[in-house]
Amino acid sequence: MAKKDDSKQVVALLRERRDEILAAWVAGALAGMRGRMSEAEVRTELSALYDALVKATGDGLPPATAPELDELRAQLGELSRSRARAGSTPSETAVSIFALKEAVLSELDDA
């Protein structure tokens, strides 16, 4: 039961603190990109991912294979391809995606 409540808390946080989490995510992603993209480009890219994540979560975190995550998976695939074409390494791309975790954890600490 606690896990379901925790997942609802995270989903609520994603909805309520979008601007703060997104700003921290963009900052974390930019730190590892070595100037390959502008802040505006990264913000646009990650904003679309963030919105797809929030949409997919609905009332809680779905299983990883749930169809609700198809749009998010497609956007992650496109981000990966576009970053590779721009010269980013897989590690740089992964670090920018995983920067969301730090942004969310920071907001959870403040909540």
Side-chain angles (χ1 to χ4, degrees):
M1 182 78 168
K3 287 190 177 203
K4 188 168 187 151
D5 290 341
D6 290 347
S7 118
K8 286 186 177 197
Q9 180 184 7
V10 170
V11 170
L13 183 80
L14 289 172
R15 293 181 194 289
E16 294 166 7
R17 299 216 182 152
R18 179 189 188 278
D19 294 340
E20 295 87 348
I21 294 170
L22 187 57
W25 188 13
V26 168
L30 283 170
M33 296 199 62
R34 298 184 287 165
R36 292 186 197 273
M37 294 174 71
S38 72
E39 181 176 349
E41 290 171 316
V42 172
R43 179 172 297 282
T44 298
E45 195 174 65
L46 296 184
S47 179
L49 276 176
Y50 191 92
D51 292 342
L53 174 63
V54 169
K55 180 180 173 185
T57 56
D59 292 328
L61 301 175
T65 58
E68 300 92 78
L69 296 173
D70 287 349
E71 180 184 343
L72 180 61
R73 278 190 285 276
Q75 286 188 15
L76 282 167
E78 180 53 36
L79 178 139
S80 181
R81 285 186 291 280
S82 70
R83 294 264 182 103
R85 286 190 296 268
S88 292
T89 66
S91 293
E92 289 170 332
T93 300
V95 166
S96 73
I97 297 303
F98 291 136
L100 173 60
K101 176 184 171 186
E102 292 304 317
V104 171
L105 289 176
S106 176
E107 286 298 317
L108 278 171
D109 287 344
D110 292 345

